[in-house]
Amino acid sequence: MDKTIPAVIKKYNGDETRLMDILIDIQAELGYLSDATIARIAKTLNIPQVDVEQTVSFYHFFAREPRGRYTVYLNDSVVAQFHGRAAVVRAFEEAAGCAFGQVSPDGCIGLFDTACIGMSDQEPAALINDVVFTSLTPAWAREIVAGLRAGKTVAELQGDRLGDGQNAHPLVHAMVCNHIRRRGSMVFDDYQPGAALRRVVALSSSEVIAQVKAASVRGRGGAGFPTGMKWEFARKAPGDVKYIFCNADEGEPGTFKDRVILTELPQLVFEGMAIAGYAVGARQGILYIRNEYRYLRAYLEQVLSDMRANNLLGPLIVGQAGFNFEIKIQYGAGAYVCGEESALIESAEGKRGEPRDRPPFPVEKGYLQRPTVVNNVETLCSVVKVILNGPEWYNNLGTAESKGTKVLSVSGDCEWPGIYEVVWGFSVNDILKMVGARDVQAVQVGGPSGACIAPKEFNRILAYEDLATGGSLIIIGRQRDLLPEVVLNFARFFRDESCGSCVPCRALTGMAQIVLEKIIAGRGTPTDLDRLSAWSAIMKRNRCGLGQTALNPIVTTLKNFRGLYDQRIKAGDDRFEPAFDLAAAVRDYDRAVAGT
Amino acid sequence: MATFVKFTLDGKIYLSEDGAPLVEAARACGVFIPTLCNYTGIPPKGACRICTVLINGLPATACTTKVVEGLNVQTSTPELESFRQAIVEILFAEGNHLCPSCEKSGSCELQALAYRYRVTVPHFPYLFPRRDVEAWHPKLLKDHNRCIQCKRCIRGIRNPAGKALFAFGKRGDRVVINIDPVTSQNISDALAQQAMDICPVGAILRKGKGFDVPIGRRTYDRTPIGAELRS
Ligand SMILES: Cc1cc2nc3c(=O)[nH]c(=O)nc-3n(C[C@H](O)[C@H](O)[C@H](O)COP(=O)(O)O)c2cc1C
Ligand code: SF4
Ligand code: SF4
Ligand code: FES
């Protein structure tokens, strides 16, 4: 402990904006961040302890207490539940001798829930000391715990299980599978690293932007903002230090396409960042990537250094004077809201991931108050292809307002979950057929923040002009009990992930969960349904997209599956107050008399 | 020299300094927009959302909006008023507010707004959270039950060395305001008073002082909040 803290802080030049890296590295060494550690970090950085604590306590993966020599973070998403998570939980708990949320008495195993880890096509999945375990079964869970107790390493327990493609690369060495079921003509197509960079230097920066605009590339991170316009704002913003961020936070439950793109085509993504740098006049790029994908770190670093060696990054890219661009990797530490671009920037500055109030937008004042572009992984890939094949080629793909292809993450109740690259304009029905889904009750489009749609809408198409989506589809079969198994899980997710800044988001996410639980327990009233609808209007006044969409799971199911709510509502008798829980009201009394 | 611009409040044209915060410009024009997380002189945060108005027809927080030429603001519609009432109610339901025993009663902005928006019957589930009272700091008492997480203390209070005394901890509905255990050991009476004053509710109290002004003669006992302004 004595040497670790000052050594790590020195590595980052005592720069408090690097607090995320400092905390990640120190926790990796010391296991957790104790009071004494926090005090020491604060003292060495010469900042108040509360300022260290505010960052530490914001992120799920920073531990203030020991979480076991081996820490199991088991995904608790809807899809994991569909695929047998409950039995895996029981097996882990019995074998470890402690419940989830606790550490086993011998300090060996800690069991913790975590939000979607981006493995929805191979659930139940867990992270154990940064190693991904997929398709877990109860038997295997018991074996893992016994193995760890017997002194085996996590790597030994993974054994020779390796996934396809680059997952088997020695530096990745993961059992994760890509499951690329359909390759489109844009992202998962042939690709020659560096070709686009060589082409780009023949153009001026404004010509590059003109091409991106001519192709009407729109952001793939969910909002669909025109990429060319974003770059132009940043290019025109005053200042000569600018930044390009690639957003690989991918926290929306059910989404995992960026993980697969970064596994198979990291050069393509980095090349897209360099092109953005060229167009905007930025010399530094930052890949902000979620902690759950830490197993890709050594591999991504290697790709970056290979690119430097091949003159595709660093000074004088492809020999062009003045074209200098570097990329560094910034890891997150477990917070969905950090996918929101201004929260991502705050986090990269070492702070809590609280979205900023806008204006100013990141293109004017972003990272370290400098003009900053934030783009999704897939957006950057499509730009490379626009440069290579021309805007016209791109415009020939897709629909009137949605050009190019979309990489979809498909999971849930279907035969072939995985990655599908399709041109925009496929209907939900088309996709259900493609993925082998039968007896479908509902489809969650765009993750919890999107919409839960019923079969009558399955003829709608995926496009910005109809069902806009960041690309995730969770298929919900007939056999699922929608309210407790899906809607409640999503409600809890938003409650856990709110940053806590806005009053409605902070309080109503939890209050909505309470009302929903009450309805599910058969104690709801018709007024409760009206309340939930009224609250969603209040939520629209929150600062960021998280709070604005947090009641969507409830609102969209109220609209599309009203019958499921009505069934559970006690109707009729006005004198009856179903909200009143007699057992809870007399619990204290019961307890008191039980002792007499 | 300041330049003046024309802007519209509820259909009437006014003059204001270019770039002035909208809440303050409106106040100067005699128009009340409720605020909670905002405090004159410190950077706005846009956290409580109660100051939401319509700017050119779209909702935006007035504390983070600056007046520019031609800005068209609607400060009050039935929806905005019921939204404001909801924010006040939510804050009561989210914490533990036992006004009669609070040193800030009568000078509390939350309580004053509750009177203004006639918060009577509950529309939100009361959470009755279990929260601490932190009394071990030499000069300050922090009653977490009453904190509305507005961050005014975080943004507004620094010790003479420029160090933060307050900071957020955790996230979501678990957020707390932490007081720095080192900095809090030697702060001046003046800073403690400043911290108490910056807090809109009774969550920060200065130790060893209290009830100087009897209940009934405090700020909003005399004039209800915003009563001097049109709304
Ligand atoms: C709560 C929340 C989470 C988000 N998560 C992501 C994410 O994981 N990845 C992403 O690319 N964009 C995410 N976004 C959208 C970003 O704010 C931003 O719009 C996007 O990164 C811009 O890139 P694009 O223009 O290339 O789509 C999120 C937005 C919100 C409100
Ligand atoms: S809407 Fe929620 S997550 Fe977004 S800034 Fe407000 S409190 Fe934070
Ligand atoms: S202590 Fe007071 S000023 Fe600080 S956040 Fe809480 S309510 Fe606001
Ligand atoms: S006063 Fe404007 S958001 Fe709180």
Side-chain angles (χ1 to χ4, degrees):
Chain A
M1 146 122 191
D2 265 330
K3 287 200 212 83
T4 306
I5 295 170
V8 169
I9 291 175
K10 192 154 168 243
K11 180 170 148 202
Y12 296 105
N13 299 320
D15 179 357
E16 63 178 280
T17 72
R18 303 298 299 277
L19 188 57
M20 287 294 283
D21 295 314
I22 291 171
L23 294 170
I24 290 169
D25 287 5
I26 290 176
Q27 178 162 302
E29 287 290 322
L30 303 181
Y32 73 105
L33 303 163
S34 67
D35 287 348
T37 302
I38 300 239
R40 186 79 194 275
I41 294 171
K43 200 153 179 228
T44 317
L45 284 172
N46 193 25
I47 60 176
Q49 283 179 34
V50 278
D51 281 354
V52 179
E53 175 75 20
Q54 64 175 340
T55 297
V56 171
S57 61
F58 189 84
Y59 296 93
H60 185 63
F61 291 108
F62 286 141
R64 288 287 275 108
E65 269 150 25
R67 291 192 187 169
R69 264 199 312 291
Y70 297 99
T71 315
V72 178
Y73 286 105
L74 183 66
N75 180 6
D76 73 349
S77 76
V78 162
V79 180
Q81 306 277 9
F82 285 1
H83 296 299
R85 178 183 192 272
V88 174
V89 167
R90 277 194 302 277
F92 268 123
E93 290 187 336
E94 279 163 24
C98 66
F100 265 76
Q102 296 175 352
V103 179
S104 64
D106 60 358
C108 183
I109 316 269
L111 300 177
F112 297 90
D113 290 330
T114 199
C116 181
I117 62 172
M119 303 287 157
S120 303
D121 54 341
Q122 42 213 301
E123 288 295 337
L127 301 166
I128 306 179
N129 292 16
D130 292 343
V131 176
V132 187
F133 285 75
T134 61
S135 305
L136 286 163
T137 59
W140 194 14
R142 279 189 288 270
E143 209 177 293
I144 289 170
V145 173
L148 293 174
R149 282 240 164 85
K152 286 197 185 154
T153 65
V154 181
E156 281 165 356
L157 288 164
Q158 179 187 336
D160 53 9
R161 295 180 185 85
L162 285 180
D164 56 339
Q166 296 292 76
N167 291 299
H169 188 288
L171 289 174
V172 183
H173 198 78
M175 70 180 80
V176 178
C177 291
N178 289 327
H179 293 148
I180 305 172
R181 315 275 186 190
R182 185 185 167 109
R183 289 171 187 272
S185 52
M186 200 177 73
V187 176
F188 291 108
D189 195 16
D190 288 343
Y191 157 67
Q192 280 301 318
L197 285 172
R198 276 182 272 275
R199 182 137 341 162
V200 105
V201 292
L203 305 171
S204 71
S205 60
S206 52
E207 282 167 341
V208 175
I209 292 180
Q211 296 234 334
V212 176
K213 277 186 162 177
S216 14
V217 176
R218 294 175 68 171
R220 300 295 200 270
F225 193 83
T227 306
M229 206 194 279
K230 189 183 279 187
W231 290 12
E232 182 149 63
F233 286 142
R235 190 172 87 91
K236 291 200 170 143
D240 50 42
V241 177
K242 300 179 182 178
Y243 295 98
I244 306 294
F245 273 75
C246 172
N247 186 344
D249 196 55
E250 193 160 63
E252 188 80 37
T255 314
F256 48 89
K257 53 145 187 127
D258 294 339
R259 183 238 315 150
V260 176
I261 296 174
L262 281 167
T263 305
E264 291 307 312
L265 296 161
Q267 303 90 334
L268 179 63
V269 179
F270 295 145
E271 197 166 340
M273 290 175 76
I275 292 171
Y278 184 84
V280 166
R283 290 180 296 275
Q284 180 70 54
I286 297 168
L287 172 72
Y288 186 100
I289 180 167
R290 62 193 315 220
N291 174 74
E292 288 82 345
Y293 299 162
R294 210 160 163 77
Y295 70 98
L296 291 173
R297 186 168 68 137
Y299 167 69
L300 293 174
E301 294 285 5
Q302 182 63 44
V303 170
L304 287 174
S305 59
D306 290 347
M307 286 179 77
R308 284 180 202 114
N310 292 323
N311 232 1
L312 301 177
L313 273 184
L316 303 174
I317 293 177
V318 297
Q320 176 73 24
F323 188 6
N324 311 326
F325 193 75
E326 250 313 328
I327 294 178
K328 75 169 186 189
I329 300 178
Q330 173 69 60
Y331 268 93
Y336 162 64
V337 70
C338 287
E340 195 281 338
E341 57 184 9
S342 63
L344 178 138
I345 290 168
E346 287 280 301
S347 177
E349 289 179 358
K351 298 186 250 173
R352 300 162 61 79
E354 279 182 30
R356 292 178 179 172
D357 205 71
R358 281 151 294 176
F361 290 91
V363 286
E364 307 155 68
K365 282 192 175 161
Y367 181 59
L368 305 175
Q369 299 300 311
R370 311 284 192 172
T372 301
V373 163
V374 181
N375 272 135
N376 176 254
V377 171
E378 191 185 346
T379 313
L380 292 162
C381 296
S382 50
V383 168
V384 177
K385 298 302 174 86
V386 166
I387 296 297
L388 283 174
N389 304 331
E392 227 157 81
W393 164 83
Y394 186 86
N395 273 319
N396 282 331
L397 304 169
T399 69
E401 283 173 48
S402 315
K403 301 299 182 190
T405 68
K406 183 78 196 85
V407 181
L408 304 176
S409 318
V410 181
S411 65
D413 295 315
C414 64
E415 198 113 0
W416 303 291
I419 294 294
Y420 294 79
E421 184 184 1
V422 298
V423 291
W424 286 107
F426 270 58
S427 73
V428 176
N429 266 326
D430 297 336
I431 291 163
L432 292 178
K433 238 177 263 153
M434 202 156 55
V435 306
R438 277 172 295 275
D439 272 336
V440 180
Q441 172 179 193
V443 177
Q444 187 72 34
V445 182
S449 72
C452 185
I453 63 168
K456 65 174 191 295
E457 290 187 280
F458 289 175
N459 55 354
R460 291 180 65 184
I461 60 163
L462 300 185
Y464 294 112
E465 57 266 44
D466 190 1
L467 273 176
T469 170
S472 115
L473 282 95
I474 300 173
I475 297 161
I476 302 162
R478 258 311 137 231
Q479 70 274 33
R480 308 294 171 193
D481 195 351
L482 201 61
L483 302 192
E485 285 184 66
V486 177
V487 183
L488 184 58
N489 180 296
F490 289 162
R492 248 194 297 121
F493 169 76
F494 284 116
R495 177 192 197 159
D496 287 346
E497 299 295 337
S498 163
C499 85
S501 186
C502 307
V503 173
C505 178
R506 178 178 73 227
L508 289 185
T509 46
M511 291 179 182
Q513 183 193 330
I514 291 172
V515 174
L516 191 62
E517 280 168 347
K518 192 178 122 187
I519 293 170
I520 289 170
R523 289 188 290 104
T525 64
T527 331
D528 285 326
L529 302 187
D530 300 339
R531 282 211 276 184
L532 289 173
S533 306
W535 293 359
S536 85
I538 297 173
M539 292 290 274
K540 292 286 173 280
R541 303 285 91 88
N542 280 311
R543 187 189 305 149
C544 90
L546 188 151
Q548 287 158 8
T549 60
L551 294 194
N552 280 2
I554 294 175
V555 173
T556 59
T557 48
L558 260 176
K559 176 164 160 273
N560 297 327
F561 299 90
R562 176 73 188 213
L564 294 179
Y565 286 89
D566 288 340
Q567 273 168 28
R568 292 178 186 261
I569 297 291
K570 305 229 171 162
D573 194 347
D574 283 346
R575 288 163 305 167
F576 181 56
E577 172 49 294
F580 182 67
D581 183 347
L582 182 63
V586 298
R587 191 172 297 141
D588 286 349
Y589 173 81
D590 282 350
R591 216 177 281 141
V593 294
T596 63
Chain B
M1 214 190 79
T3 44
F4 283 83
V5 291
K6 270 197 224 147
F7 76 117
T8 311
L9 283 176
D10 302 316
K12 284 205 195 118
I13 295 174
Y14 293 91
L15 277 183
S16 161
E17 223 173 273
D18 195 10
L22 176 55
V23 270
E24 275 153 46
R27 181 169 287 265
C29 302
V31 174
F32 178 73
I33 300 172
T35 56
L36 272 172
C37 69
N38 195 53
Y39 194 77
T40 308
I42 60 172
K45 179 72 193 172
C48 73
R49 319 305 287 175
I50 201 169
C51 67
T52 302
V53 293
L54 299 180
I55 309 261
N56 303 325
L58 294 175
T61 45
C63 66
T64 57
T65 302
K66 296 200 161 63
V67 177
V68 289
E69 176 72 36
L71 196 76
N72 185 3
V73 188
Q74 241 175 308
T75 65
S76 178
T77 67
E79 279 91 15
L80 289 175
E81 293 301 317
S82 77
F83 171 77
R84 289 166 186 168
Q85 184 189 39
I87 294 292
V88 176
E89 284 195 46
I90 291 169
L91 287 169
F92 273 95
E94 175 193 51
N96 300 309
H97 296 273
L98 305 163
C99 298
S101 64
C102 179
E103 159 64 2
K104 270 280 184 85
S105 182
S107 346
C108 168
E109 292 174 37
L110 182 68
Q111 185 193 46
L113 287 170
Y115 281 120
R116 183 183 177 96
Y117 291 105
R118 298 181 202 288
V119 171
T120 46
V121 285
H123 296 96
F124 297 87
Y126 271 67
L127 301 179
F128 302 114
R130 199 171 273 272
R131 294 196 188 156
D132 295 336
V133 177
E134 200 172 309
W136 56 273
H137 303 279
K139 292 261 160 74
L140 293 174
L141 183 140
K142 177 80 174 71
D143 189 341
H144 293 276
N145 292 290
R146 300 169 182 159
C147 178
I148 59 169
Q149 280 95 13
C150 68
K151 284 193 156 187
R152 275 160 49 161
C153 56
I154 299 178
R155 286 172 290 146
I157 303 292
R158 305 263 133 176
N159 76 1
K163 294 276 189 265
L165 185 53
F166 300 93
F168 252 174
K170 306 199 177 126
R171 72 182 186 209
D173 55 6
R174 284 88 63 213
V175 289
V176 289
I177 301 291
N178 290 320
I179 303 185
D180 191 76
V182 179
T183 319
S184 82
Q185 286 314 298
N186 41 46
I187 58 167
S188 64
D189 288 330
L191 193 68
Q193 184 64 43
Q194 212 186 324
M196 176 164 167
D197 292 343
I198 212 169
C199 180
V201 292
I204 302 175
L205 300 179
R206 203 182 134 192
K207 275 187 171 174
K209 270 301 266 149
F211 291 89
D212 282 359
V213 183
I215 288 178
R217 273 195 264 145
R218 296 177 175 182
T219 317
Y220 304 118
D221 295 334
R222 292 165 180 276
T223 322
I225 197 163
E228 72 282 18
L229 303 173
R230 182 173 76 66
S231 68

